[in-house]
Amino acid sequence: MAENKTQPTDVPVEDFLTAVEHPVRRADGRELMSLMAEVTGQRAYMYGPTIVGFGSYHYRYDSGREGNSPAVGFSPRKANLVLYGLTESPDADRLLPELGKHKTGTACLYINKLDDVDRGILAELIRSGYHHTMTEIHRP
């Protein structure tokens, strides 16, 4: 079976964030890095070329494909901030309506800028998503 394309890298997160062109997206990325590190108790690392990850879990699909992925993370994209691992915990349905301006995709949360959302609710979503991934999805 082919190796997964997206893997952890040794690129320093600060180097990646410094290179983000949009000044608001760059500042929001730094704030998200601090918030996620504080809430998860994990150090930030680069997962592939554009995702800042925190924690790690191992997954295995019925097809036999397996790999590792960040428990939670984000990517400061041109169009918006994409946050990973925050929408599938049991608390997400209760917290998302209180978050502020956002959109959700299959497994992603999209926000334009951090000033559009309630930071306290965001911290709860991070905490809940991280806990859910590490205790319910990740089973050593």
Side-chain angles (χ1 to χ4, degrees):
M1 190 167 291
E3 186 173 304
N4 293 332
K5 292 179 184 177
T6 308
Q7 299 282 340
T9 73
D10 292 330
V11 173
V13 174
E14 188 55 41
D15 289 357
F16 167 70
L17 292 175
T18 297
V20 172
E21 290 182 30
H22 193 282
V24 173
R25 204 78 74 235
R26 184 172 50 248
D28 283 353
R30 287 186 171 124
E31 185 177 339
L32 270 173
M33 180 180 70
S34 295
L35 179 61
M36 286 190 168
E38 179 183 330
V39 170
T40 66
Q42 301 292 318
R43 290 186 71 191
Y45 66 93
M46 290 304 301
Y47 188 75
T50 62
I51 298 172
V52 179
F54 298 84
S56 179
Y57 74 98
H58 188 81
Y59 63 85
R60 183 182 179 116
Y61 297 126
D62 291 339
S63 67
R65 186 169 193 77
E66 62 184 303
N68 295 307
S69 187
V72 295
F74 71 92
S75 183
R77 306 260 167 101
K78 285 189 181 205
N80 46 39
L81 295 165
V82 183
L83 291 86
Y84 304 97
L86 309 188
T87 61
E88 301 195 18
S89 78
D91 295 326
D93 287 341
R94 174 181 58 83
L95 294 169
L96 285 170
E98 299 176 34
L99 179 61
K101 187 177 176 182
H102 71 278
K103 293 180 182 177
T104 57
T106 303
C108 301
L109 173 66
Y110 301 93
I111 58 176
N112 289 327
K113 58 187 181 292
L114 288 180
D115 284 344
D116 288 343
V117 299
D118 181 304
R119 305 294 208 284
I121 299 296
L122 181 58
E124 287 185 53
L125 280 164
I126 294 165
R127 183 175 296 107
S128 178
Y130 180 78
H131 177 75
H132 175 71
T133 298
M134 298 305 288
T135 61
E136 298 300 320
I137 295 174
H138 172 65
R139 296 178 192 228

